[in-house]
Amino acid sequence: MTVSFGVDIGGTKISAAYIVDEDVVVSDKRPYRRESLVDDIAGLYFELSKDKAPVEQIGICCAGLIDPLNGIVKFAGNLDLQNFPMAEQVREKTGVPVHLDNDARSALWGEFTFAKGSLGENLAGLILGTGVGGGLIIGGSLISGKNGFAGELGHLPVSNSNLKCACGMTGCLESVAGGRAFETNFHRKHGLEMSGQEIADLARAGDSRATEAFSELGLAVGEVIGQLDTAFDLDTVVIGGGFGSTFELWIDQAHKAYSAALVGAASRTKANILLGSLGQNAQILGAATLR
Ligand SMILES: [Zn+2]
């Protein structure tokens, strides 16, 4: 029996789960204060693990540039953290070893682990939320790279954008497919201030402005998938994140752009592109099981 505890730090709330083997025994989600983030995580840990078998590891994930080897948040704009030793601080409060990682990498790892081999050994993850996170699993291993930053797939360039991205570069996938950028672009083009989900509802109702916006998103996602498959010869591409729920509105366009950007498309088996099955739990389950 393996007992772990997963924590996902969002922009305003922390979500956590006490997990035995691969089952969530109990979970909760609550707001936190930035000044007391570590105490709030520890408080939730003590509450959910009370009178239960001892936890072997706490896995924490958040958006941003994370150094997983040293457990340091190098830079997380939405949490206002820089060079913050999160793993050490939470370990001091709880007495339990802590692994810290990026949320999108954790989400991909969660989907991979809980699929028990059915997704293959070579995967890319594109996690569509406020921005676009990513991750790569090659030969069954999550690729970390020299700094632990590998898998920032949302900042690969796409040919249908010359827009400025939040990262400072121009034409990134995130500048088309990130939820915040998608809303900004729609507002700029059509004068309508709507959330991504509202624009999705408009597209489902047949509005041509909204369907065109999702078509652009699909072309951008597909182009990046083509590049990734060309580079890594993938089994599966997992789409996740809250904005990933718009999948059915753009997947056909994504397949078109994917084939066009894939070398030798006619002579190979293409990767499966699918929506993750764990939803918002993916990153908590992944964070809890990453070592
Ligand atoms: Zn970018």
Side-chain angles (χ1 to χ4, degrees), residues 154-156 164-175:
H155 302 285
L156 294 178
K164 190 100 172 160
C165 179
C167 73
M169 298 192 293
T170 299
C172 298
L173 173 62
E174 181 171 307
S175 74

